[in-house]
Amino acid sequence: MLDPELLERITARRAELDELEEQLAKQLAAVRAERDELAVAERVLERVSEQLADERAQALPMPGQVGGRAVMLIPHREPGAEESMLPPDYQRILAAVRQAAGPVMAREVGEAVGVDVSVRAKLEPLRSKLVRLVDRGWLRKLPDGRFTTRL
């Protein structure tokens, strides 16, 4: 004959284990669902990272071709970018602007780098280079048309 007290303890323990099993099954389902979400998030992150890398690669200045010759484009100024990345004539222009006592006009820069400023046709290419340096973040152009270095 079975001991009723022992049988009651076994039944109670079975009920506890059933309840524990149900809790663990719910936790396991939640863990699996979260893992699935993380896997999706990981794939999305990889795709976004690849897209950003592609966009950055496309945004970087690439050498152009003019008349079958490689032409160096002026890179955008970024943290850590050095002036040595620029072609020598652009480096001279930056040095002339930097050495000036304050903001300068294109004519003053031309005088400093040895351009014949009395001939407008020779001054305009210099002005174009100054504007290109402004567009790429190497210089600033003030509202009055003068150029100065960036802070």
Side-chain angles (χ1 to χ4, degrees):
M1 176 151 222
L2 295 174
D3 183 1
E5 188 179 313
L6 187 58
L7 190 57
E8 188 177 314
R9 287 176 55 198
I10 290 173
T11 304
R13 181 66 180 148
R14 181 169 282 133
E16 286 175 12
L17 291 175
D18 287 345
E19 185 178 325
L20 181 60
E21 181 181 26
E22 188 177 321
Q23 289 174 358
L24 290 173
K26 287 179 182 177
Q27 285 180 342
L28 182 59
V31 165
R32 286 182 176 154
E34 188 173 347
R35 274 192 161 168
D36 291 344
E37 289 173 7
L38 287 174
V40 169
E42 213 170 23
R43 286 193 300 270
V44 168
L45 182 61
E46 286 174 7
R47 287 184 190 147
V48 168
S49 295
E50 289 171 1
Q51 288 175 346
L52 286 174
D54 289 345
E55 288 174 11
R56 284 188 189 121
Q58 291 172 1
L60 291 176
M62 301 296 287
Q65 291 281 327
V66 174
R69 292 182 48 205
V71 177
M72 177 182 235
L73 300 178
I74 306 307
H76 288 275
R77 184 175 181 210
E78 296 178 352
E82 297 184 20
E83 291 178 18
S84 60
M85 298 171 58
L86 298 171
D89 53 336
Y90 284 86
Q91 290 178 32
R92 284 191 301 275
I93 292 168
L94 277 177
V97 173
R98 186 172 292 109
Q99 291 169 1
V104 292
M105 298 298 288
R107 179 175 300 278
E108 296 168 88
V109 175
E111 290 169 352
V113 297
V115 172
D116 184 1
V117 296
S118 65
V119 180
R120 184 179 175 113
K122 294 193 177 187
L123 189 58
E124 286 310 310
L126 174 64
R127 189 181 321 280
S128 175
K129 288 178 181 180
L130 285 161
V131 170
R132 192 169 298 121
L133 288 170
V134 169
D135 292 343
R136 302 301 198 285
W138 293 94
L139 292 176
R140 281 189 318 138
K141 186 174 182 182
L142 301 177
D144 64 1
R146 294 182 300 161
F147 298 89
T148 185
T149 57
R150 295 197 67 86
L151 298 176

